[in-house]
Amino acid sequence: MYGHPISKELQKINQGYPLTQNASVLAGHKIKTEIPANKLLDTVTLLKKHGASLLTLVGVDEREIKGGFGVYLVFSLSAAIMEIKVSLDPDHPSYPSVTPVIPAAHWLEREIKDWLGIVPQGHPDLRRLAVHPDWPSDVFPLRKDFPAHGEVPRVEGEMEFFPVKGEGIYQVPVGPIHAGIIEPGHFRFFTFGEDVINLQAQLFYTHRGIEKTAEGKHFHQAALIAERICGACSASHTIAYAQAIEALAGVVIPKRAQYIRTILLEMERLYNHVGDIGNICAGIGFNFAISRGAILREHLMRLNMRLTGHRYLRGTVIPGGVKINLKASSELSSIRSELSQIEEKLCQLTEIMLASHSLLDRMQTTGILPKETANDLGAVGTAARASAVNRDLRRDLPYAAYREVKFAVPIQQEGDVFCRLKQRIDEGKQSFAILQQAFEQLPPGEIRVKIPDLTPYQTAIGYTESARGANVHWIMSGPNNTLYRYMVRSASHCNWPVLPLCVPGNIIPDFPLINKSFELCYACLDR
Amino acid sequence: MLNLIKEIMKSKIVTEDPTTWKESLGRGLPVLDLNNCPAGCSRCEQICPTGALADKVVDPKVCIYCHSCRQICPVDAIGETDIPLMKGSLTLEKLGQTLREKIKQVCQRSLHIRYVDAGACNACDFEINALTNPIYDLQQYGVDFVASPRHADLLVVTGVVTRNLEIALQKTYAACPKPTLVIAIGSCACGGGIFKDAYAAGGGVDKHLPVDLYVPGCPPTPIQIIKAILTAINRKK
Ligand code: SF4
């Protein structure tokens, strides 16, 4: 049996527990182990030393199957995915918080306190995050004794913002309903004159209870739920979900399906990036680019419709493969040539944008995300790469057909709004190239395999690099091919905590611009 | 700068005439061909994730247009038709008339819309956003989105109405001058969609507000939404 270099050191820590290693369906090694809670900090410190980054952290109510609660931490490290479990007391579940070692865990740990009542001890900020002030303090919807269709009564409560005090400091509350056509969230600006001193947010307005809804559902039915977590990341969420199910079942999907998934993922990235390139300009009132961007995005949406029958690519992916075949046809070749035309038009548009002094003036040095902050807080996707964090799951832990297409992962250095715009422009070019390669190399064959019965109470993850960054889906199977626990960590979940740090020092009118340059999704975060 | 001006000069009109729309509307409403449907088979009803399909009929307000039913049908007995707009009322005709009168009363030629996301996945929101792009150019019909509910004749709502947005939605509705038209856009807003029974989701807009028009779809396309709005103000295209 092959061993990852980290296994020996891990075995010193997890004495008494087995360390399982096997080849993962997705990429490289998959290492799983359980450790006692009092060894958790040593372990994560070791992992951090080896350059591991946290993919997700999940709490599970396992009282009826294992007699307690479980917390699962999943890390990615060179060519491996590692899952560490700690088992917790059924009556007073708590464990030492890993946030002091790995700051990227801080929202995840606050969430498991909110949803499951598991207390991460030593966490620097245990205010509520996901449940609103009017939630009763003893209702934990992700516990198994809370019914999926349960009602949550309302209680009195106030939003808890850290006070920011001083002469001349004003609070500006904004939202949850905003003036434009955007998703809901509440922002609290603390300002001195026009300058923002501090920004805090109350999110989770669109919380629908997706994870709980998926529990107990057959995995094919839950795929429809995964598809509806977010509109603009439908394909990447569904593919991440499907990969987790395939990992549970130990199946490898046919080559053709892998290529088709790659095409779907890149089509999704493109319409998002192109839309965002135009839309960022709405933050500075550069109308030419707004409308040109919107036209190109609409063309891409229509290509999605012609390619798959759905503008948001829904209904195209299932666990085990894909539902659409993309057979060679004159329609397909015309779609490909239209893609090239869009590429050309996008190029013309961005050339004009990048030559506009007023655009550069507003965007450069605005809303800077420093590299260290991006790294420490675990920022992902375009936002991280615009701050020189060289991370991209498509290259680092390849899935679908990404091993077989050539592409570069561009990065920028400064981490300002302009870099995030430029990042999208550069990535868009790569997407066009990936698409043409994938169409060109599309192998013949089946597009779907059957998923055998799932062994209950096994865990697996699936992930994709969406337009916004890493979407990680963690699943524990239940009896009769159902899901026992489903946890979705979206790219926006990673990047939301980062945004408020980029605003202080900027003026309020720049907030919409900074916000648009991150293009965070509320539905993905709130679930 | 010069290139910018050149490009602007080169711009052509891209706005489409609605009578020429040939775009596909995507997945339609499943309809069972009862002549072909084998007796005793209920696979479609069992696979339907929302319970929209019961007694061999699909409820357009509850359906999420996933077409799982069509895919599982062993004899291909499920076809599709255009997704209907649904008026919120008892007898369709009578309601259609009151709706028209209400509209005449509310808005003469132009219509101001306030949009509220009450817990959508953002697909409906992006499609509503697309209405203002140069291709659809909703403003050409005298229809526009406004920032404040105080200026709105029509409330467009997307999403299931989550527990955390219920109050915000009600406050927005209360802030609109009356009478206010309400359109529910998308499967979630129309009937709660796939989340209708979840602990944090409120089962659709009509559990909370009186709805005048339902526009089902997951999401409905911009063309469907424009048609719905024009129907609502009785200027059908
Ligand atoms: S929800 Fe899906 S399965 Fe149910 S009737 Fe609609 S299309 Fe068919």
Side-chain angles (χ1 to χ4, degrees):
Chain A
M1 189 172 167
Y2 44 77
H4 192 274
I6 202 168
S7 0
K8 272 217 184 78
E9 288 175 76
L10 253 182
Q11 256 153 353
K12 271 186 228 149
I13 296 182
N14 76 338
Q15 278 164 17
Y17 291 100
L19 184 73
T20 62
Q21 297 195 50
N22 48 28
S24 152
V25 179
L26 283 171
H29 299 198
K30 183 150 186 218
I31 306 171
K32 281 190 189 182
T33 189
E34 183 168 342
I35 50 163
N38 60 11
K39 296 277 179 65
L40 181 60
L41 288 183
D42 291 347
T43 312
V44 295
T45 311
L46 168 74
L47 285 167
K48 194 178 170 181
K49 205 180 80 200
H50 281 266
S53 59
L54 181 71
L55 286 178
T56 190
L57 184 155
V58 193
V60 187
D61 178 359
E62 303 177 333
R63 287 174 298 175
E64 52 186 36
I65 51 169
K66 294 178 186 167
F69 289 87
V71 171
Y72 295 78
L73 298 96
V74 186
F75 294 87
S76 72
L77 89 167
S78 57
I81 289 191
M82 176 165 308
E83 182 182 276
I84 288 168
K85 182 195 173 184
V86 281
S87 295
L88 311 178
D89 184 80
D91 301 317
H92 304 285
S94 80
Y95 71 98
S97 162
V98 299
T99 300
V101 184
I102 302 180
H106 74 320
W107 275 29
L108 291 162
E109 293 198 314
R110 283 170 72 182
E111 260 195 24
I112 63 172
K113 182 187 138 264
D114 288 350
W115 298 136
L116 287 139
I118 298 175
V119 186
Q121 260 157 1
H123 190 289
D125 174 12
L126 279 179
R127 286 175 306 150
R128 291 177 165 200
L129 173 73
V131 293
H132 275 203
D134 63 359
W135 280 70
S137 57
D138 56 351
V139 173
F140 303 112
L142 286 183
R143 287 193 176 185
K144 292 288 175 189
D145 46 18
F146 179 86
H149 312 321
E151 281 263 328
V152 185
R154 288 186 200 273
V155 298
E156 293 279 317
E158 289 281 316
M159 288 188 209
E160 299 170 83
F161 292 113
F162 280 129
V164 179
K165 289 208 180 99
E167 205 179 303
I169 293 197
Y170 284 87
Q171 285 190 36
V172 184
V174 180
I177 312 276
H178 298 288
I181 306 175
I182 54 169
E183 294 177 78
H186 178 86
F187 297 104
R188 190 68 61 94
F189 296 90
F190 296 85
T191 64
F192 183 75
E194 274 218 291
D195 292 333
V196 181
I197 305 290
N198 181 283
L199 166 61
Q200 300 179 40
Q202 167 74 67
L203 300 166
F204 290 89
Y205 279 92
T206 65
H207 176 64
R208 290 152 282 172
I210 288 180
E211 293 175 2
K212 186 82 174 186
T213 308
E215 286 180 9
K217 294 251 157 50
H218 188 281
F219 66 81
H220 274 313
Q221 231 172 35
L224 298 171
I225 295 176
E227 222 167 49
R228 283 163 181 79
I229 295 167
C230 167
C233 305
S234 290
S236 37
H237 275 303
T238 321
I239 291 172
Y241 169 83
Q243 285 172 354
I245 296 292
E246 288 146 14
L248 278 172
V251 302
V252 177
I253 64 164
K255 264 267 141 61
R256 186 172 179 85
Q258 294 178 1
Y259 269 84
I260 293 176
R261 284 185 179 180
T262 307
I263 291 172
L264 296 172
L265 289 165
E266 291 308 314
M267 288 300 287
E268 184 170 88
R269 185 181 329 279
L270 259 189
Y271 83 70
N272 273 290
H273 277 3
V274 170
D276 292 343
I277 289 169
N279 211 21
I280 291 178
C281 296
I284 59 169
F286 187 23
N287 283 326
F288 170 76
I290 306 173
S291 20
R292 287 294 166 94
I295 294 170
L296 292 180
R297 182 184 198 274
E298 179 63 27
H299 284 163
L300 285 165
M301 300 309 284
R302 290 181 175 186
L303 289 190
N304 283 349
M305 177 65 102
R306 283 163 59 193
L307 205 57
T308 69
H310 199 281
R311 286 163 61 93
Y312 291 83
L313 309 169
R314 283 185 176 152
T316 53
V317 177
I318 37 160
V322 290
K323 291 197 211 170
I324 47 159
N325 204 342
L326 303 187
K327 285 216 185 76
S329 63
S330 58
E331 172 75 343
L332 198 64
S333 16
S334 99
I335 289 175
R336 283 182 61 184
S337 73
E338 275 174 52
L339 263 178
S340 311
Q341 287 164 18
I342 293 175
E343 181 176 8
E344 212 171 288
K345 286 192 186 141
L346 181 68
C347 204
Q348 285 164 2
L349 167 64
T350 54
E351 262 169 35
I352 290 176
M353 286 169 69
L354 298 179
S356 158
H357 290 292
S358 58
L359 180 145
L360 298 179
D361 187 47
R362 283 290 305 277
M363 292 187 181
Q364 282 173 337
T365 72
T366 303
I368 294 175
L369 170 63
K371 181 178 180 185
E372 302 72 56
T373 315
N375 244 332
D376 288 349
L377 289 183
V380 295
T382 41
R385 291 189 287 275
S387 293
V389 177
N390 198 345
R391 224 185 263 152
D392 189 323
L393 288 172
R394 292 177 295 169
R395 176 201 59 199
D396 302 340
L397 293 166
Y399 52 92
Y402 285 112
R403 219 179 253 119
E404 286 155 51
V405 290
K406 287 198 192 71
F407 64 101
V409 177
I411 58 166
Q412 320 291 321
Q413 296 300 327
E414 314 299 333
D416 53 12
V417 171
F418 178 72
C419 285
R420 288 188 282 278
L421 169 69
K422 185 76 178 18
Q423 183 65 25
R424 290 190 174 88
I425 296 175
D426 294 354
E427 285 185 15
K429 288 190 187 134
Q430 298 297 325
S431 293
F432 282 112
I434 296 174
L435 278 170
Q436 296 298 3
Q437 291 175 61
F439 280 121
E440 203 60 54
Q441 302 166 15
L442 194 59
E446 291 297 311
I447 55 167
R448 184 177 175 180
V449 285
K450 204 175 165 335
I451 300 276
D453 283 343
L454 304 180
T455 320
Y457 312 118
Q458 300 298 307
T459 64
I461 69 156
Y463 52 80
T464 48
E465 181 83 29
S466 77
R468 290 167 178 76
N471 282 334
V472 179
H473 290 221
W474 185 94
I475 294 172
M476 181 188 263
S477 53
N480 306 319
N481 294 315
T482 59
L483 307 195
Y484 192 72
R485 172 87 171 91
Y486 178 33
M487 154 78 185
V488 180
R489 195 191 193 204
S490 63
S492 297
H493 196 289
C494 306
N495 284 350
W496 264 113
V498 175
L499 169 70
L501 302 176
C502 303
V503 180
N506 294 273
I507 54 175
I508 285 202
D510 275 341
F511 176 69
L513 177 61
I514 300 172
N515 197 10
K516 285 191 172 74
S517 74
F518 277 93
E519 178 53 17
L520 298 176
C521 167
Y522 300 68
C524 267
L525 169 78
D526 303 350
R527 288 149 11 247
Chain B
M1 192 67 188
L2 214 59
N3 282 341
L4 170 62
I5 295 168
K6 258 202 259 166
E7 268 297 311
I8 293 175
M9 305 276 281
K10 275 202 303 201
S11 298
K12 286 191 244 85
I13 293 172
V14 294
T15 309
E16 291 174 354
D17 174 354
T19 53
T20 64
W21 275 330
K22 286 192 269 344
E23 285 308 314
S24 157
L25 296 181
R27 300 197 183 99
L29 178 74
V31 259
L32 277 71
D33 174 0
L34 296 182
N35 296 329
N36 263 332
C37 186
C41 170
S42 64
R43 279 183 236 199
C44 52
E45 290 181 15
Q46 277 159 17
I47 199 146
C48 175
T50 57
L53 212 177
D55 302 328
K56 309 211 183 269
V57 186
V58 178
D59 181 344
K61 281 202 284 189
V62 181
C63 180
I64 57 165
Y65 304 91
C66 64
H67 283 194
S68 303
C69 50
R70 297 190 65 198
Q71 284 147 13
I72 198 136
C73 181
V75 293
D76 257 341
I78 309 184
E80 60 177 330
T81 94
D82 284 353
I83 302 177
L85 294 176
M86 319 261 299
K87 297 190 174 122
S89 138
L90 305 165
T91 67
L92 263 181
E93 236 145 84
K94 192 160 153 259
L95 266 188
Q97 210 179 346
T98 36
L99 183 61
R100 238 162 276 151
E101 272 156 25
K102 201 165 163 185
I103 292 150
K104 236 188 248 157
Q105 196 189 339
V106 174
C107 42
Q108 303 293 324
R109 297 285 306 156
S110 76
L111 179 80
H112 284 175
I113 304 177
R114 174 62 248 194
Y115 141 95
V116 177
D117 173 347
C121 70
N122 76 31
C124 291
D125 310 340
F126 274 113
E127 295 300 53
I128 291 172
N129 233 319
L131 301 183
T132 58
N133 75 24
I135 293 176
Y136 297 112
D137 188 23
L138 185 68
Q139 284 100 334
Q140 68 177 309
Y141 308 105
V143 180
D144 204 359
F145 292 94
V146 289
S148 166
R150 301 254 182 243
H151 305 152
D153 314 304
L154 167 71
L155 208 55
V156 155
V157 189
T158 61
V160 281
V161 189
T162 59
R163 177 187 186 279
N164 293 346
L165 279 164
E166 196 185 311
I167 296 171
L169 174 65
Q170 256 144 10
K171 282 187 180 169
T172 310
Y173 180 71
C176 293
K178 300 290 166 323
T180 314
L181 292 167
V182 178
I183 303 189
I185 300 224
S187 297
C188 293
C190 290
I194 201 161
F195 307 113
K196 67 176 185 306
D197 298 322
Y199 65 88
V205 181
D206 60 10
K207 299 242 160 51
H208 308 269
L209 299 179
V211 173
D212 296 289
L213 193 67
Y214 298 89
V215 189
C218 190
T221 61
I223 295 176
Q224 279 167 303
I225 301 174
I226 291 187
K227 286 188 172 161
I229 292 172
L230 296 182
T231 306
I233 56 175
N234 199 15
R235 284 202 270 136
K236 208 166 167 185
K237 286 277 169 181

